[in-house]
Amino acid sequence: MVPLQIVVILFVALGAAGVVLSRDPVRQAIVFSIYGFGLVLLFLVFQAPDVALSALVVSGIAYPLVLVSAIARVAAQRKRKGSA
């Protein structure tokens, strides 16, 4: 195994552990985005650029955006219910 592959695999493993150990949903979304970029690097190192592009869109942009917008919506609904 190439040393670059080992480094990227370790980075992805640390990112996965960071996602699992995060308690705050917003922080978890941010760490998941970083983990997703690690997966993109992993796919590029293993010469799978098409999978890397898909992972970039999903884990780097789409999932964190949907998660943060859902959290904001729930927080706004709780605020409205609390003031009524």
Side-chain angles (χ1 to χ4, degrees), residues 22-63:
S22 295
R23 293 285 184 194
D24 181 36
V26 175
R27 183 172 291 156
Q28 191 173 29
I30 293 168
V31 175
F32 181 80
S33 182
I34 294 168
Y35 167 70
F37 287 126
L39 285 177
V40 169
L41 290 174
L42 182 70
F43 293 136
L44 286 175
V45 167
F46 282 106
Q47 299 177 356
D50 51 342
V51 181
L53 286 173
S54 299
L56 179 64
V57 171
V58 172
S59 64
I61 300 168
Y63 180 74

